[in-house]
Amino acid sequence: IPFLCLRLPDVIGPYDVSDRFWGYLMWIISGYPLHVQRNTLENKLSFIFSGDVVKYLLQLVRSSKAELALLRNQILNIC
């Protein structure tokens, strides 16, 4: 069975039902201290805007058969 797997970071934007980004933003704006464990200070956060994901998916749907053949059975990290 042919497949294409897209590995996405946290998707934020309209219709984000998790409200994670909104929570992060409100916490920062509130001025309350943000406590971070020392062993996680080097960890990076990665986000992608939901509208950009939609644009990419539409581009995939509109791709030619030859272009899609190059992506068959692939796993793509979308950053």
Side-chain angles (χ1 to χ4, degrees):
I1 300 173
F3 69 89
L4 172 62
C5 179
L6 302 178
R7 297 184 66 216
L8 303 170
D10 287 340
V11 179
I12 59 170
Y15 310 109
D16 173 15
V17 296
S18 73
D19 288 330
R20 282 179 293 192
F21 182 73
W22 183 254
Y24 299 150
L25 186 61
M26 290 292 93
W27 191 278
I28 292 168
I29 290 172
S30 74
Y32 287 106
L34 181 60
H35 300 285
V36 179
Q37 295 176 345
R38 284 199 183 278
N39 63 342
T40 63
L41 290 175
E42 299 298 321
N43 292 1
K44 295 180 182 180
L45 297 176
S46 183
F47 300 99
I48 190 167
F49 180 62
S50 59
D52 293 334
V53 175
V54 170
K55 287 178 189 176
Y56 185 72
L57 292 174
L58 288 173
Q59 185 178 355
L60 281 174
V61 169
R62 295 176 181 147
S63 297
S64 69
K65 287 185 179 184
E67 291 169 324
L68 289 174
L70 295 173
L71 297 174
R72 175 176 268 179
N73 302 332
Q74 297 293 315
I75 300 171
L76 303 179
N77 293 316
I78 309 297
C79 304

